[in-house]
Amino acid sequence: MLSGIQPTAGSFHLGNYLGAVRQWVALQETHDAFYMVVDLHAITVPQDPKELRANTRLAAAQLLAAGLDPDRCTLFVQSHVPEHAQLAWVMNCITGFGEASRMTQFKDKSAKQGADRASVGLFTYPILQVADILLYQAHEVPVGEDQRQHIELTRDLATRFNGRFGDTFTLPKPYILKETAKIYDLQDPAVKMSKSASTPKGLINLLDEPKATAKKVKSAVTDTDTVIRYDVAEKPGVSNLLTIYSTLTGTGIPELEEKYAGKGYGALKTDLADIMVDFVTPFRERTQQYLDDPETLDSIFAKGAEKARAVAAETLAQAYERVGF
Ligand code: ADP
Ligand code: NA
């Protein structure tokens, strides 16, 4: 299994953690999992070099703090494994221009920058993603709905390559994350919690002061009723708090409804604030420890790249040989 995370994220927010990173941590136990910080993808839009380097380390530090274990998975930085760029070139050369033009993410992303200013790298980004996946002969790629089209492209190009040059690549399947909790803005529960769209008080950044986080939880928007019940349509704010509570503690929502029967929103929020503080405090400390110890992080990166290259180099050598190199 293979998955990537952008190094541009800064602090993870609660939605990233509960919706994605937490699953990665679980999947390392059941899968031979490759997780990479995708710095090659990041430069498809302009990046400040210093910030890019710092964000790459920050993303990795947070993944480790969240529980990724370099002995249970392969955690690496994409640019440390040159095979990604090398295979991407080959895949570029078997992709039709029209085929690449149909990728809807490019249309969305380039529209934001002005179509003329968007880089060719942004245009071919899905093809680099194809190479990322095929290099590891990944069977499963955990993705959100918005990435489905890219998995389809991966299957199409793998099929084309295998047909033209001989069986080389495994066809991957999308692994739609089960029971992924969707987390909403604490101030506007109609909006997904997100770095770009959330209100400052509705966004829980995991690296913020725990006290500030507790305050945000305590001032979360609920409703004028007092009953604690999971009902997304009528009680989106309360339901969001129950989702967060349930996902962080592993307690079922019906149990929580029972626990808080007859109690007000204040009790729920105070308890959830404590739970959140207990979660973010060690997360923050561990992240900081990795950032304060560059040698440890470098050696984790070196080990990860070595493990990744052991697989990627073999696949690339086969592909190159078949192409006629
Ligand atoms: P953002 O929306 O803040 O830009 P990203 O798009 O970078 O976050 O998302 C990174 C990962 O975190 C994705 O796998 C995405 O599904 C997950 N994620 C982001 N926001 C949420 C959320 N509010 N609830 C659940 N999962 C989320
Ligand atoms: Na594993």
Side-chain angles (χ1 to χ4, degrees), residues 171-207:
L171 265 57
K173 282 197 295 252
Y175 180 96
I176 303 294
L177 295 170
K178 274 179 295 208
E179 296 171 41
T180 304
K182 193 164 250 175
I183 309 301
Y184 296 91
D185 188 297
L186 294 187
Q187 289 299 316
D188 182 0
V191 175
K192 213 186 77 160
M193 185 177 288
S194 102
K195 219 170 188 59
S196 49
S198 279
T199 58
K201 283 168 75 184
L203 176 70
I204 303 273
N205 279 316
L206 299 188
L207 295 178

Side-chain angles (χ1 to χ4, degrees), residues 71-148:
D71 290 326
R72 290 192 164 81
C73 68
T74 302
L75 172 65
F76 65 101
V77 178
Q78 191 182 24
S79 66
H80 297 178
V81 180
E83 287 80 5
H84 288 261
Q86 292 174 292
L87 184 62
W89 179 252
V90 175
M91 302 321 283
N92 267 299
C93 294
I94 67 161
T95 307
F97 191 82
E99 189 175 31
S101 306
R102 285 192 291 276
M103 297 296 121
T104 53
Q105 272 206 352
F106 175 73
K107 289 177 196 160
D108 298 344
K109 288 189 183 173
S110 62
K112 277 184 204 150
Q113 294 186 48
D116 280 347
R117 278 214 248 140
S119 72
V120 174
L122 188 64
F123 182 69
T124 62
Y125 180 123
I127 304 168
L128 176 58
Q129 215 174 51
V130 167
D132 295 340
I133 296 166
L134 297 182
L135 272 178
Y136 299 96
Q137 307 286 10
H139 292 272
E140 292 177 306
V141 185
V143 288
E145 272 304 322
D146 57 333
Q147 294 283 313
R148 238 183 217 284

Side-chain angles (χ1 to χ4, degrees), residues 111 157 211 285:
L157 295 183
K211 269 188 199 146
E285 281 168 12

Side-chain angles (χ1 to χ4, degrees), residues 8-324:
T8 46
S11 172
F12 291 174
H13 61 68
L14 190 64
N16 298 141
Y17 176 71
L18 293 179
V21 175
R22 209 169 137 270
Q23 270 74 10
W24 287 18
V25 175
L27 289 168
Q28 71 182 344
E29 305 301 341
T30 51
H31 287 72
D32 186 9
F34 289 79
Y35 298 124
M36 56 177 181
V37 183
V38 292
D39 54 351
L40 294 180
H41 284 283
I43 65 160
T44 56
V45 297
Q47 298 286 340
D48 175 81
K50 258 199 202 134
E51 276 173 33
L52 175 61
R53 195 170 293 120
N55 285 338
T56 298
R57 302 181 77 84
L58 181 58
Q62 290 181 90
L63 290 173
L64 292 161
L68 284 194
D69 176 349
D71 290 326
R72 290 192 164 81
C73 68
T74 302
L75 172 65
F76 65 101
V77 178
Q78 191 182 24
S79 66
H80 297 178
V81 180
E83 287 80 5
H84 288 261
Q86 292 174 292
L87 184 62
W89 179 252
V90 175
M91 302 321 283
N92 267 299
C93 294
I94 67 161
T95 307
F97 191 82
E99 189 175 31
S101 306
R102 285 192 291 276
M103 297 296 121
T104 53
Q105 272 206 352
F106 175 73
K107 289 177 196 160
D108 298 344
K109 288 189 183 173
S110 62
K112 277 184 204 150
Q113 294 186 48
D116 280 347
R117 278 214 248 140
S119 72
V120 174
L122 188 64
F123 182 69
T124 62
Y125 180 123
I127 304 168
L128 176 58
Q129 215 174 51
V130 167
D132 295 340
I133 296 166
L134 297 182
L135 272 178
Y136 299 96
Q137 307 286 10
H139 292 272
E140 292 177 306
V141 185
V143 288
E145 272 304 322
D146 57 333
Q147 294 283 313
R148 238 183 217 284
Q149 202 186 20
H150 294 173
I151 304 299
E152 281 312 308
L153 180 70
T154 308
R155 294 175 61 87
D156 288 349
L157 295 183
T159 304
R160 187 173 308 156
F161 187 101
N162 289 349
R164 205 176 283 177
F165 301 109
D167 250 1
T168 308
F169 298 120
T170 303
L171 265 57
K173 282 197 295 252
Y175 180 96
I176 303 294
L177 295 170
K178 274 179 295 208
E179 296 171 41
T180 304
K182 193 164 250 175
I183 309 301
Y184 296 91
D185 188 297
L186 294 187
Q187 289 299 316
D188 182 0
V191 175
K192 213 186 77 160
M193 185 177 288
S194 102
K195 219 170 188 59
S196 49
S198 279
T199 58
K201 283 168 75 184
L203 176 70
I204 303 273
N205 279 316
L206 299 188
L207 295 178
D208 283 355
E209 270 291 336
K211 269 188 199 146
T213 294
K215 208 168 151 196
K216 284 181 186 175
V217 174
K218 287 182 184 162
S219 55
V221 161
T222 44
D223 51 53
T224 53
D225 190 16
T226 54
V227 180
I228 295 171
R229 175 165 49 89
Y230 186 83
D231 179 343
V232 176
E234 298 295 323
K235 294 172 156 288
V238 173
S239 301
N240 189 36
L241 295 179
L242 287 171
T243 302
I244 295 169
Y245 194 136
S246 167
T247 318
L248 274 177
T249 60
T251 318
I253 287 179
E255 266 176 79
L256 291 176
E257 287 172 334
E258 207 169 297
K259 178 171 176 177
Y260 289 98
K263 296 182 186 163
Y265 294 154
L268 175 70
K269 289 183 187 176
T270 304
D271 288 353
L272 183 55
D274 288 345
I275 289 162
M276 200 84 87
V277 167
D278 287 346
F279 170 67
V280 295
T281 305
F283 176 83
R284 224 170 152 243
E285 281 168 12
R286 285 197 295 264
T287 302
Q288 198 54 51
Q289 279 165 10
Y290 283 110
L291 296 176
D292 289 344
D293 182 1
E295 275 139 42
T296 297
L297 203 50
D298 284 339
S299 79
I300 290 171
F301 286 162
K303 179 178 163 186
E306 192 185 327
K307 278 166 79 182
R309 289 196 78 183
V311 182
E314 191 182 323
T315 309
L316 183 77
Q318 263 176 31
Y320 267 24
E321 197 271 324
R322 298 214 161 123
V323 164

